[in-house]
Amino acid sequence: MRDVVTYADSGVDLEAARRAKSRIAELVEGTRTDAVVSRFGSFGGRFTATPGRDLVASADGVGTKLKIAFLTGRHDTVGADLVNHCVDDILTEGARPLVFMDYIGCGVLDPDVVADVVAGLATACTANRCALVGGEMAEMPGFYADGEYDLAGFIVGEAAWPELGERDPAAGDVLIGLPSSGFHTNGYSLVRKLVFDRLDLAVGDPFPGEDGATVGDVLLRTHRSYLRELESSLDAGRIRALAHITGGGLPGNVDRVLGAGVDAVIDTGTWDVPNPFRVMQEASGAPPAEMFSTFNMGIGMVAIVRQADADAVLGDLREAECAAFVCGEVTAGSGRVRIVGGDGPA
Amino acid sequence: MRDVVTYADSGVDLEAARRAKSRIAELVEGTRTDAVVSRFGSFGGRFTATPGRDLVASADGVGTKLKIAFLTGRHDTVGADLVNHCVDDILTEGARPLVFMDYIGCGVLDPDVVADVVAGLATACTANRCALVGGEMAEMPGFYADGEYDLAGFIVGEAAWPELGERDPAAGDVLIGLPSSGFHTNGYSLVRKLVFDRLDLAVGDPFPGEDGATVGDVLLRTHRSYLRELESSLDAGRIRALAHITGGGLPGNVDRVLGAGVDAVIDTGTWDVPNPFRVMQEASGAPPAEMFSTFNMGIGMVAIVRQADADAVLGDLREAECAAFVCGEVTAGSGRVRIVGGDGPA
């Protein structure tokens, strides 16, 4: 019998993270000023500079996906991961990106690596019509291992689709799943454990079932930005809420946009979980529920729309070359996300 | 004969940093949008959300001062270092802080440490009337040594004193020095080398010549915010330019606000370099020029004012309990900073 490897085993103490979060919520609340509109725990901090014109800010890191960049020596994609993650976060708050800044911490600065990282940031900023207005490169001898670095980013957008802030999904609404490009930027501690330790693969080896794409290729696939895909549906006022599927997976993110009186029922029979996630599930031996609360399982963003708007939104998305699909519905309930269907958790 | 220990010896390759900076300037320039007002290399990125209402953003880290927090186990001051550093950066761009976000990267999250870090952030945010609107805590197993973390911050302010953006110091203008509280957040790689290796002190030992204050006490003295001190002079329109004295010291920061046709002449005879810097100079054996281009040497901010306004500004600063002093003048020249006087570099 094989050991079951789960996210907690891989070194991430989610409970400790939750504890710290609740302790600091109080501290943060104490700094509140009249400029602040958002509540603690939203996907982005909303604030006002000019009355009537909200801005939304968000901070993020790339996480341990960076280790794949270190192992492969490819540093020009993680910047796009970071920008797109931030863009998607504030998109769920109804904001269009305005400016981005980065922080790169390293032991000794390698100018070529930094230029590659910034190239990734710049490419994604341009694609999202977001200006890279500054950043900080910190050389901190003794902090980072040779050839390693950390990368964090900060985005500010302006509220363009205020109805998203209202978040009022109602029973009968439809959940539309937008495909992810891979693991995006979540679950990499577990991915690395499974791929490198349990499957004993190296970054240059073919990834199982991926037509010769290497482990490095598959694990570096870039976090997808959904701004361009969703823009026309947002402009038409057809989206009620968006959930960006990051750490915590579908159950841990869709619940953030539900009201108290409804559940989201997601049917795993509506899409094929992409091969890399199935490889992870098999390698781990963990139950599907564990996988669904760690990985995006093929859905990077969930749009909640009125039933009457579903076809129009699916049409808009297809026009934007996004193979979106109905993945569930909103029912009367108590604010929970229920994952049902044959391949899903019990 | 003793070896001379300089900043480059301590592991920071400033030349490599400069090279990377110039390579990425081009990449960043390519992301420019209509919202951007600032040029690459300013203390903060200036952008517009609403026409006529500029915002200024800046990103920073605490740097290796964090090692002192690790050694002493005191984590409730580095947050204030970070916030105040960011506040001072955008102050030089004429901006008043609006919101702040943090990034904490660590190996395994210790909730008490994180809460202490956030307490430092929150205290300083409140003191600067800046809201802490969000942040990211990233647990990255295998990235950071046990008990260590990195801390970066992002600030957005609104342009309140637009005349500072013009930066037009003229011959005859007066340089006013605002005292620092210590090393602020710069030069800590060298400080650590000198204090722990060359002077062989531990964090609990008394710092030489500091009345029993420990090494930890002296090295953790918090980066000072100059917002409150400078506010009335700024409101009165009496400040032409501000230079925040960070990495590069007086020569490497005052030059950033000079035009091409003037020099800044700073007279080291106008203030007593505080004891901790003198201890560092003696321990290092490096020439004064090296010290002045690494440390702030007792001046954390330089205000450039018209001669006719100097007394009023000094009066405002004294009223705000800031023991500021005239430390030099602007002369005809070529954009250089010249440090003159007995104790200064030749």
Side-chain angles (χ1 to χ4, degrees):
Chain A
M1 192 182 148
R2 301 169 65 188
D3 284 342
V4 172
V5 177
T6 69
Y7 206 54
D9 295 330
S10 66
V12 175
D13 185 347
L14 293 176
E15 184 44 46
R18 263 190 294 270
R19 230 165 38 230
K21 196 165 177 174
S22 109
R23 288 193 60 200
I24 71 175
E26 197 182 332
L27 289 163
V28 170
E29 203 51 42
T31 72
R32 201 175 178 86
T33 64
D34 290 344
V36 180
V37 182
S38 59
R39 279 169 315 176
F40 186 82
S42 48
F43 283 95
R46 181 178 291 255
F47 61 101
T48 308
T50 308
R53 190 95 169 191
D54 285 359
L55 297 172
V56 179
S58 188
D60 248 299
V62 178
T64 58
K65 186 172 190 172
L66 290 173
K67 287 274 188 192
I68 315 299
F70 306 156
L71 288 169
T72 56
R74 282 159 54 187
H75 302 282
D76 59 351
T77 61
V78 289
D81 281 308
L82 183 61
V83 170
N84 291 344
H85 186 136
C86 287
V87 166
D88 289 342
D89 267 350
I90 64 166
L91 191 60
T92 68
E93 299 286 326
R96 187 194 288 284
L98 203 58
V99 297
F100 191 89
M101 305 191 87
D102 64 284
Y103 172 79
I104 305 174
C106 60
V108 176
L109 192 146
D110 178 330
D112 294 321
V113 170
V114 172
D116 280 352
V117 170
V118 176
L121 295 168
T123 302
C125 278
T126 302
N128 289 292
R129 278 156 295 153
C130 178
L132 185 54
V133 290
E136 169 76 1
M137 291 183 287
E139 273 201 301
M140 300 166 72
F143 264 69
Y144 294 94
D146 273 2
E148 300 205 348
Y149 53 86
D150 198 1
L151 175 62
F154 169 68
I155 198 166
V156 179
E158 50 186 342
W161 305 288
E163 67 278 11
L164 279 194
E166 297 165 14
R167 282 189 189 141
D168 52 354
D173 284 354
V174 170
L175 304 183
I176 294 178
L178 282 71
S180 64
S181 54
F183 297 102
H184 283 185
T185 45
N186 287 99
Y188 272 84
S189 293
L190 179 54
V191 166
R192 286 160 48 225
K193 203 172 186 89
L194 295 172
V195 170
F196 300 128
D197 298 348
R198 186 152 274 188
L199 298 178
D200 200 23
L201 296 169
V203 282
D205 291 338
F207 191 99
E210 288 289 313
D211 288 335
T214 65
V215 166
D217 293 337
V218 171
L219 300 194
L220 282 180
R221 283 174 186 158
T222 304
H223 198 117
R224 191 162 167 173
S225 161
Y226 298 100
L227 170 64
R228 196 185 53 80
E229 278 88 336
L230 286 166
E231 213 159 18
S232 47
S233 296
L234 286 164
D235 283 343
R238 291 188 183 120
I239 310 283
R240 282 192 120 160
L242 290 174
H244 183 201
I245 311 308
T246 58
L250 287 160
N253 287 287
V254 175
D255 66 332
R256 296 166 71 177
V257 299
L258 293 177
V262 293
D263 280 357
V265 181
I266 295 173
D267 181 354
T268 60
T270 58
W271 81 99
D272 291 325
V273 170
N275 171 65
F277 299 101
R278 286 188 276 112
V279 171
M280 291 304 104
Q281 176 152 0
E282 197 170 317
S284 117
E290 183 69 37
M291 293 289 109
F292 272 80
S293 64
T294 301
F295 299 123
N296 66 61
M297 301 304 273
I299 298 182
M301 181 76 84
V302 170
I304 304 184
V305 307
R306 290 172 197 81
Q307 196 158 30
D309 291 329
D311 285 343
V313 171
L314 287 168
D316 285 347
L317 286 164
R318 273 187 216 111
E319 200 149 304
E321 288 167 7
C322 175
F325 51 91
V326 172
C327 67
E329 58 175 344
V330 177
T331 65
S334 56
R336 291 177 312 153
V337 177
R338 290 188 285 134
I339 300 196
V340 302
D343 293 333
Chain B
M1 192 181 148
R2 300 168 65 185
D3 284 343
V4 172
V5 176
T6 68
Y7 207 54
D9 295 330
S10 66
V12 175
D13 185 346
L14 293 175
E15 182 46 44
R18 262 189 295 270
R19 226 163 44 227
K21 197 167 177 175
S22 109
R23 288 193 60 198
I24 71 176
E26 197 180 334
L27 290 163
V28 170
E29 201 53 40
T31 72
R32 198 175 181 87
T33 65
D34 289 345
V36 181
V37 182
S38 59
R39 278 169 315 174
F40 186 83
S42 48
F43 284 94
R46 181 178 291 254
F47 62 101
T48 307
T50 309
R53 190 93 169 193
D54 285 359
L55 297 171
V56 179
S58 188
D60 248 297
V62 178
T64 57
K65 186 173 190 171
L66 290 172
K67 288 273 187 193
I68 314 299
F70 306 156
L71 288 170
T72 57
R74 283 159 56 185
H75 302 282
D76 60 350
T77 61
V78 289
D81 281 308
L82 183 59
V83 171
N84 291 344
H85 186 135
C86 287
V87 166
D88 289 342
D89 267 351
I90 64 167
L91 191 60
T92 69
E93 300 285 327
R96 187 194 290 283
L98 203 55
V99 297
F100 190 89
M101 305 192 87
D102 64 283
Y103 171 80
I104 303 175
C106 59
V108 177
L109 192 145
D110 178 331
D112 295 320
V113 169
V114 172
D116 280 352
V117 170
V118 176
L121 294 168
T123 303
C125 278
T126 302
N128 289 291
R129 278 155 296 156
C130 178
L132 185 54
V133 290
E136 170 76 1
M137 290 184 287
E139 272 202 302
M140 300 166 72
F143 264 70
Y144 294 94
D146 274 0
E148 300 205 348
Y149 54 86
D150 198 0
L151 175 62
F154 308 96
I155 198 167
V156 179
E158 50 186 343
W161 306 287
E163 66 278 12
L164 278 194
E166 298 167 11
R167 284 191 186 137
D168 52 355
D173 283 354
V174 171
L175 304 183
I176 293 178
L178 281 70
S180 64
S181 54
F183 297 103
H184 283 187
T185 45
N186 287 99
Y188 272 83
S189 293
L190 179 55
V191 165
R192 286 161 48 225
K193 203 174 187 88
L194 294 173
V195 170
F196 300 129
D197 298 349
R198 185 152 276 189
L199 298 178
D200 200 23
L201 295 170
V203 283
D205 292 337
F207 191 99
E210 288 289 312
D211 289 333
T214 66
V215 166
D217 294 335
V218 171
L219 301 194
L220 282 180
R221 283 175 185 157
T222 305
H223 197 117
R224 191 163 168 172
S225 161
Y226 297 100
L227 171 64
R228 196 184 54 79
E229 278 89 335
L230 285 166
E231 215 159 16
S232 48
S233 295
L234 286 164
D235 283 343
R238 290 188 182 122
I239 310 283
R240 284 193 117 158
L242 290 174
H244 183 200
I245 311 308
T246 57
L250 288 161
N253 288 285
V254 174
D255 65 333
R256 295 167 71 177
V257 298
L258 292 177
V262 293
D263 280 357
V265 181
I266 295 172
D267 181 355
T268 60
T270 58
W271 82 98
D272 291 325
V273 170
N275 171 66
F277 299 101
R278 284 188 277 113
V279 171
M280 290 306 105
Q281 176 153 359
E282 196 170 318
S284 118
E290 183 69 35
M291 294 288 110
F292 272 81
S293 63
T294 301
F295 299 123
N296 66 60
M297 301 304 273
I299 297 181
M301 182 74 86
V302 170
I304 305 185
V305 307
R306 290 173 197 81
Q307 196 158 28
D309 291 328
D311 285 344
V313 171
L314 287 168
D316 284 348
L317 286 164
R318 272 187 216 109
E319 201 149 304
E321 287 167 10
C322 175
F325 50 90
V326 172
C327 67
E329 59 175 345
V330 177
T331 65
S334 55
R336 291 177 311 152
V337 177
R338 289 188 285 136
I339 301 198
V340 301
D343 292 333

